[in-house]
Amino acid sequence: MKNRFPTAVTVSLVPEARGGPFVYWDDLDAAISTAAELGFDAIEIFPPSPDVLDARRLRQKLTEHGIKLAAMGTGAGWVVQKLRLTDPDPMIRSKARAFVASIIDFAGRLGAPAIIGSMQGRVDPGTDRGQVLAWMTECLDQLGPRAHQFGVPLLLEPLNRYETNLFNNVGSTLDYLTSLRTQNIKLLCDCFHMNIEEASIEDALRQAGSRLGHVHLADSNRRAAGLGHIPFEPIFRTLTDIGYQGYVSAEVLPLPDTASAARATILAVRS
Ligand SMILES: [Mn+2]
């Protein structure tokens, strides 16, 4: 049976991210073959850095199993190295930017976008919000065109208030994006964060419209779609209405176990 939307599933290769919303862990080859068998169209990789990956081998594995790379996360820059694109320390900002650039380059060669989630950082107490946004702008105006060279966007993900105070919802993030020189930044909308921050998930998706570049499909409790209390039918209907062509990617906890979480996602997308 064909998926109604192209589907992806997350694979973490970062031991320090243990407990995070990743369906598969550690063994990339096994994740690729299992995801393909279950009917996923792509995988989304969360690597410690591009250095641990062999691009040629990865491409070969993906081709062998008939699936694609949907996107690549940059969060290990924060989780492992404590880098943030908006850190008050210019050295840390510059390292953070180089880290994200390395993922843009790696994923870009495989036709996939990089994701900026936790690497956006936050407005620390005593730091001026305008200054933090100016640092972000300087950074995105460099990294957006870098991604463009590969014909892919750069994805910016609003996160819920317990994870950042910088970009929390679609409306304010869209306003910010229009202020940039680069128009190559697209929104990543994550249903788990939206369930906390948006008045209406559907209205927010409609507002994102053509700027929507990627969707993290997760339920209210960050389990697979259908295992919490978000009604997904209106969400899928809205995605169809706005002509969304991107991935719905299961960035969810491996609960009750990896196999069940993966299967629940495929079921939710097909039903
Ligand atoms: Mn997410």
Side-chain angles (χ1 to χ4, degrees):
M1 202 187 341
K2 201 172 148 24
N3 299 323
R4 288 176 61 188
F5 291 95
T7 50
V9 61
T10 50
V11 189
S12 169
L13 307 176
V14 180
E16 292 90 337
R18 202 52 74 185
F22 304 99
V23 175
Y24 294 108
W25 288 87
D26 309 327
D27 188 340
L28 185 55
D29 287 356
I32 291 171
S33 59
T34 314
E37 262 167 47
L38 279 170
F40 283 97
D41 301 296
I43 53 159
E44 179 176 321
I45 303 179
F46 188 79
S49 92
D51 308 341
V52 306
L53 295 169
D54 177 338
R56 198 152 55 155
R57 199 164 170 281
L58 176 56
R59 192 193 304 266
Q60 211 171 24
K61 276 279 158 203
L62 291 169
T63 309
E64 193 182 307
H65 292 278
I67 65 172
K68 295 202 158 82
L69 179 64
M72 199 169 264
T74 63
W78 165 245
V79 173
V80 181
Q81 301 185 53
K82 297 296 169 218
L83 303 175
R84 303 182 294 177
L85 294 170
T86 55
D87 197 280
D89 180 339
M91 277 300 292
I92 293 181
R93 288 204 302 279
S94 137
K95 281 186 188 165
R97 194 183 302 188
F99 183 81
V100 172
S102 72
I103 295 204
I104 289 173
D105 294 353
F106 185 96
R109 289 188 194 104
L110 290 159
I115 298 168
I116 296 176
S118 57
M119 284 294 275
Q120 68 189 261
R122 59 180 295 114
V123 183
D124 291 333
T127 310
D128 176 59
R129 183 176 185 87
Q131 176 62 75
V132 170
L133 287 171
W135 287 328
M136 192 66 174
T137 296
E138 194 192 313
C139 176
L140 292 181
D141 275 330
Q142 276 191 12
L143 297 178
R146 191 173 184 119
H148 187 72
Q149 296 179 313
F150 300 101
V152 297
L154 175 60
L155 300 170
L156 179 60
E157 178 175 16
L159 305 175
N160 74 73
R161 64 191 65 191
Y162 307 108
E163 299 186 28
T164 186
N165 56 6
L166 193 53
F167 298 113
N168 292 132
N169 58 55
V170 166
S172 59
T173 309
L174 277 174
D175 286 346
Y176 167 75
L177 288 182
T178 55
S179 77
L180 298 178
R181 265 203 317 274
T182 176
Q183 291 305 301
N184 197 38
I185 316 291
K186 288 205 166 188
L187 274 180
L188 192 172
C189 286
D190 181 318
C191 301
F192 168 75
H193 298 301
M194 295 175 95
N195 178 58
I196 296 170
E197 296 297 339
E198 304 292 347
S200 153
I201 295 181
E202 291 77 35
D203 288 352
L205 290 171
R206 262 189 292 273
Q207 205 186 348
S210 61
R211 289 290 306 243
L212 180 60
H214 197 72
V215 171
H216 277 162
L217 194 67
D219 217 318
S220 50
N221 48 9
R222 227 172 193 180
R223 294 195 184 195
L227 304 185
H229 57 68
I230 295 179
F232 279 95
E233 205 206 310
I235 293 178
F236 285 127
R237 205 176 318 122
T238 305
L239 291 174
T240 305
D241 288 349
I242 64 171
Y244 178 65
Q245 309 256 318
Y247 287 100
V248 292
S249 185
E251 189 193 49
V252 301
L253 298 165
L255 295 173
D257 55 74
T258 287
S260 310
R263 269 196 303 270
T265 296
I266 288 287
L267 269 176
V269 178
R270 286 180 181 167
S271 64

